[in-house]
Amino acid sequence: KMDWVEGTAFDQYLRKHVGNRANIEKLLNQFAKAVRELKRIGIAHGDLQHGNIIVQPSDLRLVDYDGMFVPSLKGESTNELGHPSYQHPQRSATDFSSSLDDFSAWLIHSSLSILMIDPMLFRKYSGGDECILFRHTDLKDPDNSRLFRELLNHPNLEVKARGELIKRLAE
């Protein structure tokens, strides 16, 4: 059981600030800091996704730790597979280690990086509903995804590179 965390839900924050590059960059940096700290202490949240991130004025907080990995659970399996639009398509209950958040972290980081450059993609692909940009259907079948097609043909090289990275990681 954890204390109630005050703040703005991640998806609501994005809806309000998606066109403000400075705010999204600040969010990106706060997210990267949180992920680095989890890695440093050898734990994983287990369900990194928009519904489990609360944005506060000076920081962000992760909530809902029911799928968390801690070193004393090494060798166990999990009862929580995480939000499908944030997990590797082949994730299973036996994927339970300190690297559990790696795919989700890359996905969120890349999504925010893309939105700093092209915020219109958020609205075009209904971000904030069940995802930031990528849905589980995009991740399961990148070759037939409208989003991946647009990212891989985007005129901005950083957007294109982020799309290629996520596609490669999802394979």
Side-chain angles (χ1 to χ4, degrees):
K1 189 173 180 179
M2 66 182 291
D3 293 334
W4 183 258
V5 176
E6 292 292 331
T8 305
F10 194 79
D11 57 330
Q12 292 173 4
Y13 185 89
L14 282 175
R15 278 189 194 95
K16 183 175 179 182
H17 297 280
V18 74
N20 184 321
R21 184 181 174 97
N23 285 354
I24 301 303
E25 186 171 19
K26 180 181 175 186
L27 185 63
L28 175 70
N29 291 333
Q30 290 171 339
F31 178 74
K33 179 182 173 189
V35 169
R36 279 193 307 273
E37 183 61 15
L38 290 174
K39 287 298 250 185
R40 186 187 70 75
I41 58 179
I43 65 174
H45 181 277
D47 189 17
L48 284 181
Q49 48 114 333
H50 69 275
N52 291 337
I53 303 171
I54 304 296
V55 181
Q56 298 178 319
S58 61
D59 205 358
L60 58 82
R61 299 280 179 212
L62 303 178
V63 297
D64 191 7
Y65 291 99
D66 58 328
M68 176 179 248
F69 170 85
V70 295
S72 62
L73 294 175
K74 185 176 182 179
E76 300 292 328
S77 57
T78 182
N79 63 345
E80 165 75 56
L81 294 180
H83 193 298
S85 291
Y86 290 86
Q87 301 303 319
H88 192 281
Q90 296 172 9
R91 180 176 172 188
S92 72
T94 59
D95 297 318
F96 195 53
S97 71
S98 62
S99 63
L100 190 57
D101 293 335
D102 290 359
F103 182 81
S104 303
W106 277 109
L107 189 72
I108 294 169
H109 192 277
S110 292
S111 296
L112 293 173
S113 296
I114 289 166
L115 292 178
M116 282 184 358
I117 297 165
D118 191 345
M120 294 308 297
L121 292 171
F122 186 76
R123 288 180 182 82
K124 183 173 184 179
Y125 289 96
S126 301
D129 180 24
E130 283 297 312
C131 63
I132 298 173
L133 278 178
F134 299 90
R135 295 182 182 282
H136 70 280
T137 51
D138 297 311
L139 300 171
K140 283 172 61 174
D141 191 7
D143 290 332
N144 291 309
S145 162
R146 263 185 50 231
L147 173 62
F148 271 110
R149 244 186 329 277
E150 184 160 350
L151 297 178
L152 298 178
N153 292 301
H154 200 279
N156 183 284
L157 295 179
E158 176 68 15
V159 170
K160 188 175 185 173
R162 292 291 178 159
E164 289 169 349
L165 171 68
I166 297 302
K167 183 178 180 195
R168 195 169 52 253
L169 292 174
E171 293 174 342

